[in-house]
Amino acid sequence: MGEEIVKISDLSASYDGEVALEGVNISFYADDFVGIIGPNGGGKSTLIKAILGLVPYAGTVNISQDVVAGGVGYMPQQNLFDKEFPLSVEELVLSGLQRRKGLFGRYSKSDKLRVKAILEELSVDNLAKKCVGELSGGQLQRALLGRAIISEPKLLILDEPANFVDNRFENELYTLLTELNKRMAIIMVSHDVGTITTVVKNVVCVNRTVHRHPTAELTPELLANYHCPIQVLSHGPVPHTVLAHHHDDCHCGHDHC
Ligand SMILES: Nc1ncnc2c1ncn2[C@@H]1O[C@H](COP(=O)(O)OP(=O)(O)OP(=O)(O)O)[C@@H](O)[C@H]1O
Ligand SMILES: [Mg+2]
């Protein structure tokens, strides 16, 4: 295990008195590639936003100096991104360098070349001048990823990065993330439990409370504290899907829970 880079102690977070997270004690490490899973409304985005300091919380979140200095790359869940903002794809990706530049810093020629290279890598170079409001879901997802990685952060946090993207890009995305994980820690929220087990190193289940599993292997037993029906893809000789049964206090809002 690498150096501890994020340490969360006794964290709780509420919105208008409604508890979203409580009793959270968890650490993340320099070589982590963690998948965060859990039902809708379980608190995954809130956990991420607490690490980023974007929501109020009780308790402590300590982030190592190294990560603070190198910055944190963040790809928000798409429904949290304001598409109306009048910005081109190129400007959106460049804005990932803003923290380093300060408010009035100028972008250099090499910054712009780096944007070009990233847009090419993500196959959206033809959309550089297009306004973000005109992009398809998958195109916007790629541009948001470009913004998150352009500063080469020490910690990359992705909230459902595979939403809206096609299968081909999803595979490219995971290959890219595996490559990036050689030089940065990655925390990724995903609903795709089957993929999570093949891509990430560890899984964290979030459903009002948080559990870190020591492996990416997910069995129905391990998911018992997931508190929601979930499809588990077993990677045996005959792949099959198991529907874990549900019990009390589910927050996912499904009728069958
Ligand atoms: N800005 C907000 N104002 C009020 N309540 C909120 C806000 N953001 C989240 N919540 C509530 O907090 C709880 C946790 O939400 P959160 O977005 O963290 O869940 P999630 O696990 O990311 O869900 P999803 O899978 O749907 O993205 C939910 O009950 C949600 O309704
Ligand atoms: Mg969310």
Side-chain angles (χ1 to χ4, degrees), residues 170-210:
E170 188 174 351
N171 288 333
E172 283 171 22
L173 171 70
Y174 295 138
T175 306
L176 175 65
L177 293 180
T178 304
E179 195 53 40
L180 289 172
N181 182 229
K182 292 176 184 160
R183 50 185 200 271
M184 62 185 77
I186 301 180
I187 301 175
M188 172 173 76
V189 175
S190 173
H191 273 120
D192 187 349
V193 179
T195 308
I196 279 265
T197 59
T198 59
V199 179
V200 302
K201 297 176 184 164
N202 297 104
V203 167
V204 168
C205 293
V206 178
N207 190 10
R208 196 164 149 146
T209 54
V210 167

Side-chain angles (χ1 to χ4, degrees), residues 7 26 28 42 45 47 51 68-70 85 103 123 132 180 201 211 218 220 248 252:
K7 183 180 173 66
I26 191 169
F28 296 98
S45 297
L47 178 67
I51 296 172
V68 171
F85 209 69
L103 209 49
S123 311
V132 289
L180 289 172
K201 297 176 184 164
H211 302 270
L218 290 179
D248 24 292
C252 78

Side-chain angles (χ1 to χ4, degrees), residues 37-188:
I37 61 169
N40 290 138
K44 303 180 296 296
S45 297
T46 303
L47 178 67
I48 275 177
K49 285 192 260 176
I51 296 172
L52 292 157
L54 298 175
V55 288
Y57 55 82
T60 54
V61 177
N62 282 320
I63 302 186
S64 74
Q65 273 311 311
D66 205 23
V67 167
V68 171
V72 179
Y74 172 46
M75 180 175 170
Q77 193 170 348
Q78 205 173 112
N79 59 11
L80 304 178
F81 179 77
D82 182 7
K83 274 181 94 169
E84 301 310 311
F85 209 69
L87 207 63
S88 72
V89 168
E90 196 174 44
E91 288 164 340
L92 174 74
V93 176
L94 261 181
S95 71
L97 293 172
Q98 202 164 49
R99 204 188 61 90
R100 257 186 213 176
K101 297 274 162 195
L103 209 49
F104 303 106
R106 287 275 187 102
Y107 296 114
S108 66
K109 178 114 178 113
S110 77
D111 292 339
K112 292 191 175 158
L113 285 174
R114 173 123 181 88
V115 170
K116 194 166 179 294
I118 283 189
L119 291 179
E120 272 168 23
E121 191 171 358
L122 298 173
S123 311
V124 281
D125 44 320
N126 56 328
L127 304 174
K129 302 288 177 205
K130 205 162 180 157
C131 190
V132 289
E134 297 165 7
L135 300 181
S136 74
Q139 290 168 338
L140 178 58
Q141 210 65 330
R142 292 163 198 239
L144 288 171
L145 178 64
R147 180 179 67 167
I149 62 177
I150 191 168
S151 64
E152 283 282 324
K154 288 281 167 61
L155 171 62
L156 176 62
I157 299 183
L158 311 152
D159 202 343
E160 313 226 11
N163 277 4
F164 307 104
V165 304
D166 56 34
N167 283 346
R168 211 190 85 204
F169 182 66
E170 188 174 351
N171 288 333
E172 283 171 22
L173 171 70
Y174 295 138
T175 306
L176 175 65
L177 293 180
T178 304
E179 195 53 40
L180 289 172
N181 182 229
K182 292 176 184 160
R183 50 185 200 271
M184 62 185 77
I186 301 180
I187 301 175
M188 172 173 76

